[in-house]
């Protein structure tokens, strides 16, 4: 079997076209969706992600503002900046790019963002709403993955999904969203013994471990769907996922590439959440 490649870039473009129309309508009604992005320090990968978010916002007509802060700022100062944005009615979405410098407690920062402006969907209030299946801001990468599966009419109900990775940003929430869609979900991680035992019975594998080529052909059941969330930079500067794409492609029914896979969908769902925030829904 040779897998069909799910092109996240194309799907993202399609969705962004619809969002552009939606923003235009909001503008006509006097609402100008606005996203404030905070970048602390000079991590090159973070800077590049933030630039991507700004560019995509502009593409659909969302106003974005980048607030750049020095590495050396105190946690209290960052919390004050967030509070000002919380109070500013023209700001609809707030995103603090992670990771933060070590002297700043990430959880304090996440919890300082008003839940109704938390377009990342990281605030415990929004995570709780997601877990209980309420309408809320869904974390962007997991939300993008659901959209990718739906775009190919891949059914989730009753399927065995194996999530490899348990980060708060991707692994845990994607498993929860798939559970909400009636999948049977198994979480695996770096300390799982005999990983293959689980992945070989998976109808859908979500690879989110952050290790290049961690999932090989031997992990994949014939006809499985393979979603690769990894973005790993190799020594030669190229990007690669957590999945050995060429090997897995020979066994899977659908597979996502890196780049042009999950990455563009993450940013697209951030735009979706920002528009949702501007409409006053949370
Ligand atoms: N760092 C890596 N991914 C993300 C994300 O989705 N949101 C934020 N705020 N920081 C990140």
């Amino acid at each position: 079997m040779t897998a069909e490649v799910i092109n996240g870039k194309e799907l993202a473009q399609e969705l962004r076209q619809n969002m552009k129309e939606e923003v235009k309508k909001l503008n006509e009604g006097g609402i100008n969706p606005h996203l404030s992005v905070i970048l602390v320090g000079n991590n090159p990968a973070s800077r590049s992600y933030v630039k991507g978010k700004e560019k995509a916002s502009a593409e659909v007509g969302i106003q974005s503002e980048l607030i750049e802060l020095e590495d050396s700022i105190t946690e209290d100062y960052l919390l004050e900046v967030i509070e000002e944005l919380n109070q500013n009615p023209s700001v609809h979405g707030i995103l603090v790019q992670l990771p933060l410098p070590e002297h700043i407690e990430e959880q304090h920062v996440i919890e300082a963002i008003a839940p109704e402006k938390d377009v990342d969907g990281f605030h415990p209030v929004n995570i709780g709403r997601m877990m209980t299946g309420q309408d809320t801001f869904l974390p962007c990468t997991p939300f993008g993955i659901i959209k990718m599966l739906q775009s190919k009419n891949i059914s989730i109900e009753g399927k065995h999904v194996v999530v490899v990775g348990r980060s708060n940003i991707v692994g845990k929430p994607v498993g929860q969203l798939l559970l909400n869609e009636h999948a049977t979900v198994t979480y695996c991680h770096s300390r799982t013994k005999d990983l293959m035992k689980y992945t070989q019975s998976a109808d859908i594998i979500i690879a989110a471990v952050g290790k290049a080529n961690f999932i090989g052909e031997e992990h994949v059941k014939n006809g499985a769907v393979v979603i690769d969330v990894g973005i790993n930079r190799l020594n030669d500067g190229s990007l690669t996922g957590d999945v050995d794409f060429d090997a897995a492609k020979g066994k899977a029914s659908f597979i996502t590439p890196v780049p042009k896979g999950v990455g563009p969908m993450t940013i697209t769902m951030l735009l979706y959440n920002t528009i949702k925030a501007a409409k006053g829904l949370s």
Side-chain angles (χ1 to χ4, degrees):
M1 179 172 262
T2 296
E4 182 180 336
V5 177
I6 310 177
N7 186 323
K9 192 172 176 203
E10 275 175 21
L11 178 59
Q13 272 162 356
E14 223 178 281
L15 294 172
R16 288 180 198 181
Q17 198 52 44
N18 295 339
M19 289 177 191
K20 204 169 165 177
E21 300 298 317
E22 201 173 358
V23 170
K24 219 184 268 172
K25 281 197 198 118
L26 285 171
N27 291 159
E28 283 161 15
I31 299 172
N32 301 309
H34 181 111
L35 172 67
S36 294
V37 177
I38 300 177
L39 175 64
V40 182
N42 236 326
N43 178 326
S46 291
R47 181 166 294 279
S48 146
Y49 291 143
V50 159
K51 290 284 165 209
K53 289 168 185 176
E54 279 194 295
K55 187 165 163 262
S57 297
E59 212 180 290
V60 302
I62 292 175
Q63 297 174 354
S64 75
E65 140 191 60
L66 175 59
I67 301 168
E68 292 190 70
L69 302 173
E70 302 273 335
D71 246 337
S72 57
I73 57 153
T74 63
E75 181 178 303
D76 280 348
Y77 180 72
L78 178 54
L79 296 183
E80 275 172 33
V81 172
I82 292 171
E83 188 49 27
E84 260 178 47
L85 297 171
N86 282 343
Q87 299 299 334
N88 183 344
S90 64
V91 172
H92 301 109
I94 302 170
L95 180 148
V96 180
Q97 186 66 28
L98 304 175
L100 289 168
E102 272 186 13
H103 66 280
I104 299 177
E105 187 68 54
E106 240 164 56
Q107 205 54 34
H108 292 168
V109 172
I110 288 169
E111 292 185 24
I113 297 170
E116 66 275 13
K117 297 191 179 188
D118 167 38
V119 286
D120 260 327
F122 293 167
H123 193 288
V125 164
N126 289 323
I127 293 171
R129 287 180 180 153
M130 176 194 67
M131 290 199 73
T132 50
Q134 299 175 62
D135 184 26
T136 188
F137 297 114
L138 299 177
C140 302
T141 301
F143 194 10
I145 291 170
I146 300 284
K147 289 277 181 201
M148 289 178 100
L149 295 172
Q150 288 173 342
S151 77
K152 295 292 177 188
N153 292 317
I154 296 166
S155 74
I156 299 169
E157 185 173 335
K159 296 292 166 65
H160 181 209
V161 177
V162 173
V163 180
V164 189
R166 53 171 163 179
S167 70
N168 289 335
I169 292 183
V170 181
K172 285 182 201 165
V174 77
Q176 181 63 52
L177 283 186
L178 290 159
L179 178 66
N180 291 356
E181 298 293 327
H182 314 291
T184 302
V185 179
T186 302
Y187 287 97
C188 296
H189 47 79
S190 55
R191 296 188 204 179
T192 298
K193 291 187 182 125
D194 198 2
L195 174 68
M196 228 182 288
K197 183 173 91 185
Y198 302 98
T199 60
Q200 278 179 346
S201 76
D203 301 307
I204 302 174
I205 298 177
I206 313 281
V209 262
K211 287 186 183 148
N213 296 325
F214 190 74
I215 300 292
E217 182 196 2
E218 68 281 12
H219 292 94
V220 180
K221 181 176 82 171
N222 273 325
V225 175
V226 179
I227 306 290
D228 191 351
V229 187
I231 303 178
N232 307 294
R233 198 168 285 280
L234 299 179
N235 287 337
D236 67 1
S238 63
L239 286 184
T240 191
D242 290 350
V243 176
D244 181 344
F245 180 83
D246 291 330
K249 193 172 177 230
K251 278 182 118 178
S253 56
F254 291 92
I255 191 166
T256 66
V258 177
K260 297 188 184 165
V262 174
M265 289 301 294
T266 296
I267 297 187
T268 303
M269 301 332 288
L270 171 69
L271 306 177
Y272 178 97
N273 281 347
T274 304
I275 294 168
K276 186 179 171 85
K279 289 194 290 196
L281 303 170
S282 68

